[in-house]
Amino acid sequence: MTLPFLASDAGAAGLGVALAVGVAFGWGLERAGLGNARRLAGQFFGTDFTVLKVLFSAIVTAMLGVFWLAQMGILDPARVYVPETWLLPQAVGGALFGVGMVAGGLCPGTSCVAAAAGRRDGLAVMGGMLAGILLFAAAFPLIDQLYEATPAGTLTFPDLLRVPPGTVVAAVVAMALGAFAGVEAFERRAALRPGGAS
Amino acid sequence: MSAIDFAAAAPARIAMPAPAVRARPYASPYLAGVGIGLVLLAAYVTVGHGLGASGGFTSVAVAGVAAVAPEQAAASPVLGGYLGGGGRGPLADWLVIELIGVALGGYLSARLAGRARRTVERGPRVTDRARLMYGFGGGVVMGLGAKLARGCTSGQALTGGALLSVGSWIFIATAFAAAFAAAPLFRREWT
Amino acid sequence: MSGRAPRAHRLLAIAAATLGALALVAGGAGATRQGVDVVALAREVEAEADHVTARELAAWIRDGREGLRIVDVRTPAEFADYAIPTAENLSLTALTRAAIRPDETVVLYSEGGAHAAQGWFLLRARGVKRVYFLREGLYEWLTQVMTPVLPDGASAADRAAFDSAAELSRYFGGVPRAGGGASVDGDASAALPGASAEGGSAAAVRRVRRRGC
């Protein structure tokens, strides 16, 4: 039997997975302190690197997991949904998102964590997100050209660069470890470690 | 003793939030990250797709609109697809349940670590009210960005990033770059 | 941070570096590499176990066969213009990553059958057990199911076969015809049906899967 083993994510099993995955995700985010908007925003002032550490640790872990499970024939990667690439909308949307993130101090997922932990600013961000989505829907006729621009379909780096997936995996690991080393060195020099929390 | 007092005691340049005295310190971001990565992997191997968040928000927004103006919701090219029976059906529900889980997990973790409290996280130079307005405004912009990009940090950066999707990494790059570039505009809010 | 955490970090970093380096050596994974038993597949083709006729497919649809998935591998524009009722539209590339349950029966079709046959091979190579295609594609559907013709001078057996085909055809809103070109049901217009002819069933059950985050 190859994984993924649930063909659809509807039904009791699929939604049970949703809940379990969500709880674990929220737990992990809160443990890392990303439910705290000041900590998250600190990333963009160079005072706190939790966002970078968590994001790249998670990416590397999942990426290595997918690669090796596929290598061993346990996981059929063709059956794992890869988000499609839309060059321009994702570049512009990403930039907008980044601005929103430093202004709001939370992203959609962490805003739920913050709100659940009692942070009223978490609720504010969640409310803003809903409003932003509705604004997008209302303004859609104005931006649908941008929205539909430059589709590239399912495009991964191995496809794009015409190199084996293992090469890209190795490069991402190297980049992540390099970034971690650089950040650790920077933190040591800036003495960013009052006792207790880091 | 609030988090603000701790921060004031530290060098002014470092606006680092510290948890209150009786709260447990945060976990190592690397360990938490690996844990999140394993959760993401678990999603891939069980249901064949990764995490998400902004999609769940869209479902909630659509449900809200559908409750007050069903024809508008159905007619919207953006919202219509999220209505029951539309093309997105099962995945939309999945994300909403996932987000409920995220809130639950976040609450449990905060509670057990002594970090759950009704407060507003903000820098020392802004009022609660100003911070909430920034938060809302930031949320609006993120909502726009996430819809354009077909995802957010959970759906694109994490999920697509781990699967080496080019668009997802473009998202990561532009989001980080824009956030760093825009940070000086929000210095007052945080430091 | 306690002294333990940095040690755990070091171990994780070493593990990641090792797995990354090994990945570089291992090279490829993924859908592009699949072990394929070409001999078995060739035998299936020769035994004609790879395709179904349009009438068989029509009967499956009418009888509500469990787990039936009809896949149109043409372009979205062609699909929107006319499609077999209950069909979904997937390109060949989309087919390589489509989630197909073991209990489902996939029937592929294209304009004339070539792409569908190639899609058959792709899915068999992916290990999908029950997959067939329409050998002559949509053309076969339109001529055999939607507008079956009873030739002049047909035998009794032919007549019987035509009657059941005609019944099937009517189910889909088709127009059975006698050899002279006139409709058996006395309908003057023997035009090929457009997308609306099947009572909206084609449009209604088109399952388009679009996902986001």
Side-chain angles (χ1 to χ4, degrees):
Chain A
M1 173 193 70
T2 52
L3 306 172
F5 59 76
L6 287 178
S8 126
D9 62 9
L15 295 180
V17 169
L19 192 62
V21 157
V23 169
F25 186 34
W27 177 279
L29 287 173
E30 204 285 331
R31 285 282 126 164
L34 291 178
N36 183 318
R38 295 184 67 192
R39 193 170 171 89
L40 201 154
Q43 169 70 66
F44 307 110
F45 293 93
T47 59
D48 182 307
F49 292 88
T50 305
V51 172
L52 189 146
K53 293 175 186 177
V54 171
L55 184 63
F56 286 135
S57 299
I59 285 176
V60 165
T61 303
M63 178 189 68
L64 285 171
V66 169
F67 179 84
W68 285 110
L69 287 177
Q71 274 297 98
M72 296 190 288
I74 297 173
L75 172 68
D76 178 4
R79 286 165 50 213
V80 176
Y81 172 71
V82 176
E84 282 99 8
T85 292
W86 302 77
L87 298 166
L88 194 56
Q90 285 174 327
V92 172
L96 278 175
F97 191 87
V99 173
M101 221 180 4
V102 70
L106 296 164
C107 75
T110 51
S111 68
C112 294
V113 171
R119 307 300 188 269
R120 299 208 309 277
D121 48 313
L123 287 172
V125 171
M126 289 174 76
M129 285 270 323
L130 292 173
I133 288 168
L134 293 177
L135 179 60
F136 179 85
F140 192 67
L142 299 172
I143 40 178
D144 80 338
Q145 279 205 313
L146 171 61
Y147 184 75
E148 309 276 359
T150 61
T154 305
L155 181 66
T156 64
F157 279 105
D159 298 335
L160 178 71
L161 303 172
R162 294 177 211 254
V163 295
T167 307
V168 180
V169 166
V172 171
V173 171
M175 180 212 66
L177 293 179
F180 294 157
V183 162
E184 293 288 322
F186 179 85
E187 283 180 330
R188 264 194 301 273
R189 264 185 308 163
L192 273 175
R193 303 206 199 181
S198 150
Chain B
M1 201 175 213
S2 78
I4 311 292
D5 299 312
F6 264 105
R13 168 170 82 87
I14 303 165
M16 181 83 129
V21 186
R22 70 184 181 289
R24 293 171 52 180
Y26 294 122
S28 145
Y30 300 112
L31 295 178
V34 168
I36 288 172
L38 291 173
V39 170
L40 181 54
L41 186 62
Y44 292 146
V45 307
T46 50
V47 292
H49 63 75
L51 308 171
S54 64
F57 276 85
T58 305
S59 294
V60 173
V62 169
V65 174
V68 293
E71 331 76 39
Q72 299 273 57
S76 162
V78 173
L79 306 181
Y82 283 74
L83 290 171
R88 277 189 56 99
L91 183 59
D93 296 337
W94 198 92
L95 287 174
V96 173
I97 303 287
E98 186 220 311
L99 278 183
I100 292 173
V102 168
L104 190 55
Y107 171 71
L108 289 172
S109 172
R111 200 61 214 274
L112 288 163
R115 284 193 285 263
R117 61 181 171 280
R118 273 189 68 79
T119 183
V120 173
E121 296 289 351
R122 58 174 174 78
R125 288 195 287 163
V126 290
T127 60
D128 278 2
R129 191 152 170 274
R131 164 75 189 110
L132 293 177
M133 294 201 318
Y134 276 117
F136 186 86
V140 171
V141 176
M142 280 196 288
L144 291 171
K147 290 309 292 178
L148 259 181
R150 280 80 167 171
C152 61
T153 36
S154 310
Q156 287 292 341
L158 266 180
T159 301
L163 295 171
L164 306 178
S165 165
V166 173
S168 302
W169 282 93
I170 290 177
F171 178 87
I172 294 174
T174 55
F176 267 74
F180 274 106
L185 297 173
F186 300 98
R187 202 168 275 284
R188 162 165 290 264
E189 185 189 358
W190 300 113
T191 58
Chain C
M1 195 171 328
S2 73
R4 272 189 323 228
R7 185 148 165 271
H9 297 166
R10 259 196 291 281
L11 288 173
L12 285 172
I14 291 170
T18 309
L19 289 171
L22 287 174
L24 183 62
V25 171
T32 49
R33 270 227 254 126
Q34 204 90 36
V36 175
D37 184 347
V38 287
V39 175
L41 292 179
R43 288 212 191 100
E44 276 180 56
V45 174
E46 285 173 337
E48 314 239 359
D50 58 341
H51 56 93
V52 293
T53 66
R55 286 183 188 163
E56 283 176 323
L57 177 61
W60 282 357
I61 299 174
R62 181 194 59 192
D63 301 337
R65 184 189 168 104
E66 278 255 5
L68 180 64
R69 277 180 75 170
I70 306 177
V71 176
D72 182 325
V73 299
R74 300 174 301 155
T75 66
E78 292 170 318
F79 178 77
D81 188 57
Y82 178 75
I84 292 178
T86 74
E88 61 187 285
N89 188 215
L90 287 174
S91 67
L92 288 179
T93 351
L95 217 47
T96 61
R97 52 178 65 245
I100 295 167
R101 292 200 311 271
D103 59 306
E104 286 180 324
T105 303
V106 181
V107 179
L108 302 162
Y109 76 91
S110 53
E111 199 73 43
H115 276 172
Q118 290 164 322
W120 176 87
F121 186 85
L122 285 176
L123 287 185
R124 290 294 289 118
R126 277 188 59 201
V128 175
K129 291 278 178 295
R130 281 188 274 198
V131 51
Y132 309 94
F133 65 97
L134 279 188
R135 199 141 70 152
E136 276 156 60
L138 198 56
Y139 176 76
E140 191 186 336
W141 172 267
L142 291 170
T143 55
Q144 293 293 310
V145 175
M146 296 308 289
T147 58
V149 176
L150 178 70
D152 296 333
S155 69
D158 288 341
R159 181 90 211 181
F162 174 78
D163 284 343
S164 61
E167 195 189 309
L168 206 49
S169 173
R170 282 184 211 107
Y171 177 84
F172 290 100
V175 186
R177 287 181 286 182
S183 159
V184 157
D185 299 324
D187 182 350
S189 64
L192 287 176
S196 54
E198 293 79 42
S201 62
V205 199
R206 234 173 274 159
R207 293 195 307 275
V208 178
R209 292 168 183 213
R210 276 181 52 237
R211 307 209 206 199
C213 124

